[in-house]
Amino acid sequence: MELAALLTLLLFTIGQGDCASAATKKDWWQYAQFYQIYPRSFMDSDGDGIGDLNGITSKLEYLKDLGVTAAWLSPIFTSPMVDFGYDISDFFDIQPEYGTLEDFRALIKRAKELDLKIILDFVPNHSSNESIWFKKSVNRERGYEDYYVWHDGKVNATTGEREPPTNWLQYFRGSAWEWNEVRQQYYLHQFAVQQPDLNYRNPAVVEQMKRVLRYWLKEGVSGFRCDALPPLFEVLPDAEGQYPDEVVSGATEDSEDRNYLTVKYIENQPETIDMVYQWRTVLDDYQRIYGGNSSVLLIETYAPAWFTMQFYGNRTREGAHLPFNFNLITVMEEKGLSAGHVKEAIDLWLNNMPAGRTPNWVLGNHDKRRAASRYGKEYIDAMNMLVMILPGVSVTYQGEELGMTDGEISWEDTVDPWGCNSNPSIYEQYTRDPERTPFQWTSGTNAGFTNGSTTWLPLAADYKTVNVESELAAEESHLKIYKELMALRKSSKTLQNGSTKYWVIGDDLFVVLRTYGDEDKYLLAINFGSKEETVYLPDLADRSLFRLIIKSLGSELTLGVWYGDLHVQPAEALVLTDVLHIYPNP
């Protein structure tokens, strides 16, 4: 069988790795498995129905057993909880319902004992309107007058009434400007009204936020995930102090939705890139002065590739270690799940990534529907295999290892401000509550998340079957497959350092081949179609047979069997190797 007859898309190869390149030692983050914890929903230790730091500490051994390198915690800082921690009133202390600073230090201590790293969420774009900084700015106290983005607004020539400076819209629906009676000015808030935007054109703000980074580095964290970078800067006003209006985008007819307008003036400004470079310098300087392992900087940016790739750095300056790659989310949301679209998502990153940088792969997070719900439950093993077999770093959102699905949240139970700012007829388009339901530890009361009587959000309906306890006890489960993938990734020089080729074969079979000199070869095959697909393995690599070592749940193929012709069923995903041994299950 000719390989050319099977290929429907071009082959792409990256990282011509071989054993000679092994002399270049990679840093810990370059092959790490990051695991996102949404603290409010991970584990409750005190029975109030809300997850907390002591709950996380009690489950660190679970993360260690999974094979996690670093746990990223969504915000744990003091907050009124309008946006559940992303509205921070004190960047230097812990939210009381999550615990205390001593609880955090105990978490760090235990994590170090287990050789786990802790990454904190850094929320630089805004604070809470209950922050002392904002209160001082409202009162124009010395040094805080321009801590936030303030504007007089403009007077309507017809009505004589004062109006917002521009037509800009916030993420959570409606105007991005709010009038403050005390100061008699509008302030900018690209998120909720209670989240005023900090003014990064003020050097005092820049230095204050660097102080935040240094404070938590001193407390022992191993880096930061930087939230919501696109709106960090807005365009400069004109000579008369006026900002330009955005134009109608044509993307939606809903004039309250942010997508109703373009975001040319309020997102992805060049100053944002430079600010990330400055934060990287803070981290590097801290290591240079105090020693220890390097700290990692991860960047959230849903931005075009031309902008996102600049975050990596340039010829003279280092930037983020890892700008998050959301292509496996965004491309599929726009076009649907298929082998061709998976290849398109991978191409979009690898074809644009600067040389010598590390790719990363993200399936979900606290802002997106859970992976099993978006891709389909039958594809959760396939997608976990994909991000583990591809080169670089994987990022797992809590529950993806179990195949957790979204909860069903009624309008009455909705608490997310994005949903609450809408109405009962459309809230499901906006609310992020379904992907934030409590983690499912057991099939018992409240899924083992709390010994209290209630949970802050209702549990997902499938918790009695999709949970850690049940999946560990089962002969086969999503969790066991995930652990096998983690163990393989951590032990394989090929997966850590090797070259990558990938194809679409036939109508909808996606294949990845990893090689590294004379080391083991690994092949991943996923059928994203509705009918059986066949691949002749000797056409793909200089081997006549490959041995099946990991398979998706429900596959009827036999582990340990050698294959030349591989017949892959719909939604089936398979990992094979060309060597005799099979890595033991963890």
Side-chain angles (χ1 to χ4, degrees):
M1 185 181 298
E2 292 293 330
L3 178 59
L6 298 174
L7 301 182
T8 62
L9 293 175
L10 293 175
L11 171 149
F12 185 75
T13 306
I14 70 163
Q16 298 296 328
D18 55 34
C19 292
S21 67
T24 304
K25 189 177 186 324
K26 289 190 174 182
D27 208 345
W28 68 267
W29 56 269
Q30 292 180 283
Y31 49 86
Q33 286 82 45
F34 291 93
Y35 186 96
Q36 182 192 357
I37 291 176
Y38 193 69
R40 200 171 185 84
S41 294
F42 193 62
M43 183 65 194
D44 172 27
S45 70
D46 58 10
D48 64 358
I50 296 170
D52 49 46
L53 293 178
N54 288 335
I56 295 171
T57 303
S58 73
K59 295 297 184 180
L60 288 178
E61 290 187 15
Y62 169 74
L63 301 185
K64 182 67 175 178
D65 186 53
L66 280 184
V68 167
T69 310
W72 147 38
L73 312 186
S74 289
I76 56 173
F77 314 111
T78 309
S79 167
M81 290 289 158
V82 171
D83 192 18
F84 297 101
Y86 285 93
D87 52 318
I88 298 171
S89 56
D90 187 346
F91 286 80
F92 300 98
D93 206 353
I94 303 296
Q95 171 66 4
E97 62 191 345
Y98 291 163
T100 66
L101 193 53
E102 288 307 312
D103 293 331
F104 177 76
R105 289 167 178 160
L107 168 64
I108 291 289
K109 181 176 182 292
R110 182 59 180 147
K112 288 183 176 179
E113 290 171 353
L114 293 170
D115 194 25
L116 291 170
K117 300 183 188 309
I118 299 297
I119 310 296
L120 291 188
D121 224 318
F122 176 53
V123 186
N125 180 71
H126 49 265
S127 75
S128 164
N129 62 347
E130 294 188 18
S131 166
I132 188 64
W133 305 341
F134 185 73
K135 293 175 181 179
K136 288 183 176 183
S137 192
V138 166
N139 292 317
R140 301 179 189 266
E141 291 190 26
R142 185 175 179 180
Y144 291 88
E145 301 94 331
D146 298 318
Y147 238 62
Y148 296 83
V149 182
W150 294 99
H151 201 281
D152 291 334
K154 53 190 178 184
V155 177
N156 187 303
T158 303
T159 65
E161 294 182 358
R162 189 171 298 279
E163 295 178 345
T166 67
N167 64 349
W168 299 350
L169 296 170
Q170 58 155 309
Y171 284 98
F172 294 162
R173 299 179 56 79
S175 175
W177 296 98
E178 181 73 7
W179 179 255
N180 182 271
E181 282 291 338
V182 175
R183 179 153 169 152
Q184 290 290 294
Q185 281 187 308
Y186 289 94
Y187 64 86
L188 179 67
H189 61 94
Q190 298 219 47
F191 291 86
V193 169
Q194 299 90 343
Q195 294 169 290
D197 274 35
L198 289 159
N199 177 17
Y200 276 84
R201 300 193 188 280
N202 181 344
V205 171
V206 173
E207 182 52 39
Q208 180 73 272
M209 299 310 285
K210 290 179 180 178
R211 179 171 164 249
V212 171
L213 295 175
R214 295 186 191 104
Y215 178 88
W216 292 106
L217 287 171
K218 186 177 180 181
E219 289 291 341
V221 305
S222 297
F224 302 90
R225 173 265 189 184
C226 299
D227 176 66
L229 262 292
L232 195 68
F233 283 85
E234 56 288 330
V235 71
L236 280 165
D238 63 21
E240 297 178 354
Q242 299 303 314
Y243 294 107
D245 281 338
E246 296 281 3
V247 300
V248 175
S249 68
T252 177
E253 295 182 359
D254 184 350
S255 61
E256 295 290 299
D257 190 306
R258 186 177 176 90
N259 292 323
Y260 180 74
L261 301 173
T262 60
V263 289
K264 177 180 178 181
Y265 303 119
I266 58 175
E267 288 189 9
N268 301 333
Q269 302 303 308
E271 296 92 334
T272 302
I273 302 293
D274 180 73
M275 188 54 56
V276 170
Y277 294 175
Q278 292 187 46
W279 294 335
R280 172 64 183 269
T281 299
V282 170
L283 269 60
D284 290 348
D285 284 351
Y286 191 91
Q287 182 192 22
R288 177 176 52 81
I289 295 169
Y290 297 103
N293 293 326
S294 58
S295 299
V296 68
L297 193 63
L298 301 90
I299 299 294
E300 181 195 36
T301 172
Y302 289 90
W306 66 265
F307 190 79
T308 297
M309 293 303 165
Q310 295 180 70
F311 282 118
Y312 272 118
N314 56 35
R315 292 182 179 179
T316 60
R317 300 181 70 186
E318 289 295 324
H321 298 83
L322 299 167
F324 273 160
N325 172 10
F326 298 120
N327 292 343
L328 290 172
I329 299 174
T330 56
V331 172
M332 269 23 92
E333 283 182 337
E334 179 185 357
K335 300 183 177 181
L337 183 64
S338 73
H341 295 154
V342 166
K343 182 178 184 299
E344 179 181 341
I346 297 171
D347 283 345
L348 188 59
W349 196 267
L350 296 182
N351 287 346
N352 288 286
M353 187 178 68
R357 302 297 178 174
T358 301
N360 68 95
W361 313 98
V362 181
L363 295 182
N365 54 48
H366 62 294
D367 288 333
K368 292 292 182 180
R369 292 292 187 260
R370 286 197 174 101
S373 293
R374 278 186 290 108
Y375 300 122
K377 290 187 286 187
E378 67 274 25
Y379 286 109
I380 190 61
D381 294 329
M383 298 307 289
N384 280 331
M385 288 179 187
L386 183 64
V387 299
M388 294 289 184
I389 298 300
L390 286 171
V393 168
S394 65
V395 184
T396 295
Y397 176 54
Q398 62 181 47
E400 285 173 359
E401 73 275 22
L402 303 175
M404 278 181 64
T405 54
D406 293 339
E408 293 187 12
I409 308 297
S410 68
W411 169 250
E412 290 74 21
D413 287 329
T414 297
V415 293
D416 176 34
W418 207 343
C420 292
N421 283 355
S422 59
N423 62 63
S425 65
I426 62 172
Y427 81 98
E428 290 178 306
Q429 300 174 36
Y430 298 100
T431 181
R432 298 164 295 175
D433 292 331
E435 60 264 30
R436 299 177 176 183
T437 56
F439 192 82
Q440 295 160 197
W441 294 101
T442 74
S443 57
T445 303
N446 290 326
F449 165 73
T450 180
N451 59 14
S453 58
T454 59
T455 56
W456 79 281
L457 278 176
L459 293 163
D462 61 1
Y463 79 90
K464 291 194 179 222
T465 54
V466 180
N467 61 72
V468 173
E469 178 185 63
S470 298
E471 295 198 21
L472 284 177
E475 184 175 346
E476 297 179 316
S477 68
H478 298 308
L479 178 56
K480 287 189 171 181
I481 292 167
Y482 183 90
K483 290 176 67 177
E484 290 168 6
L485 290 165
M486 281 280 213
L488 180 62
R489 180 72 170 271
K490 290 172 78 74
S491 61
S492 169
K493 293 180 181 178
T494 300
L495 296 185
Q496 292 177 12
N497 303 298
S499 298
T500 306
K501 298 179 182 179
Y502 50 94
W503 303 266
V504 173
I505 295 177
D507 289 332
D508 232 339
L509 185 68
F510 189 74
V511 177
V512 181
L513 178 67
R514 300 295 310 277
T515 61
Y516 186 53
D518 294 330
E519 295 286 334
D520 309 351
K521 289 181 171 63
Y522 292 94
L523 187 144
L524 167 66
I526 305 172
N527 186 348
F528 288 105
S530 58
K531 67 181 191 316
E532 179 185 286
E533 296 280 359
T534 301
V535 58
Y536 185 54
L537 297 182
D539 276 345
L540 301 181
D542 185 23
R543 292 289 187 275
S544 59
L545 296 171
F546 278 78
R547 190 172 189 175
L548 181 62
I549 57 172
I550 304 175
K551 62 178 183 175
S552 57
L553 201 62
S555 170
E556 295 183 0
L557 297 182
T558 303
L559 293 173
V561 171
W562 293 83
Y563 291 91
D565 281 325
L566 192 63
H567 304 280
V568 190
Q569 302 305 312
E572 190 172 32
L574 309 167
V575 178
L576 304 96
T577 185
D578 67 334
V579 296
L580 179 63
H581 65 268
I582 300 176
Y583 288 95
N585 291 341

